[in-house]
Amino acid sequence: MTPRELLEQYVASGKVMQVATVNEAGSPQVCTVWYQPEFRPDRLRWISRHDREHSRAIAANPQVAGAIVAIPLDALGQVVQGVSFHGRARELPVQGVEDEIQAFIARWPAAAAAFEAMATGGATRLYEVAVDAWVLFDEEHFPAPGNPRQSITAE
């Protein structure tokens, strides 16, 4: 498999990602969210309340970074596989994103109630990061003395 194929496999099979933002005071913060991926163009979407600290940080500064671990974690020293990324995040509008909402619900059916509440003024919003670049870290397919860190341009 190519690095891009591995990256897409790992991102598609993952469940949660960590997203790093920087608040208005310049302090970094990390949140963990359930996500839904899309490729070509490379996008990652998640839901969150618009009044959470990371959501307010995105409104002030859309630059984000994040990571997805692609393996079950059992023990220190095991072979690592995962993905990191950076890009620009934004809160999607409440209206006009029906396809994105349906894709999220297809992956996470329990989110339907949050989207119903969003349509009637609830605090939940759909967020999206347009990925600028990925890093695949895969010690199984790219072991030492090679480089397990594979930089991949977003599409």
Side-chain angles (χ1 to χ4, degrees):
M1 293 186 107
T2 69
R4 176 68 194 205
E5 290 169 333
L6 288 168
L7 175 130
E8 288 187 20
Q9 175 185 327
Y10 296 166
V11 171
S13 65
K15 305 294 186 224
V16 297
M17 67 178 178
Q18 293 187 310
V19 179
T21 59
V22 177
N23 68 21
E24 290 180 356
S27 296
Q29 56 198 17
V30 176
C31 65
T32 302
V33 295
W34 298 87
Y35 71 93
Q36 177 264 320
E38 177 182 308
F39 300 105
R40 295 178 185 88
D42 294 346
R43 304 281 187 262
L44 299 166
R45 294 187 190 95
W46 70 95
I47 57 174
S48 187
R49 293 178 54 93
H50 67 80
D51 55 357
R52 292 213 168 125
E53 191 171 344
H54 59 266
S55 300
R56 291 191 308 269
I58 288 169
N61 179 354
Q63 296 292 340
V64 299
I68 300 165
V69 176
I71 58 169
L73 300 174
D74 297 318
L76 181 67
Q78 76 186 83
V79 171
V80 174
Q81 293 171 300
V83 173
S84 61
F85 60 88
H86 68 84
R88 298 179 61 83
R90 66 185 178 116
E91 177 183 321
L92 295 178
V94 174
Q95 303 295 322
V97 291
E98 291 77 17
D99 291 344
E100 291 84 350
I101 289 171
Q102 288 308 309
F104 197 92
I105 292 171
R107 181 167 163 102
W108 305 113
F115 286 116
E116 288 172 17
M118 182 178 83
T120 59
T124 297
R125 298 293 185 271
L126 183 62
Y127 290 84
E128 172 183 272
V129 59
V131 177
D132 291 330
W134 300 97
V135 174
L136 171 70
F137 191 88
D138 189 331
E139 293 178 314
E140 180 179 330
H141 292 95
F142 305 98
N147 186 359
R149 185 181 189 282
Q150 303 288 310
S151 294
I152 300 171
T153 303
E155 295 184 14

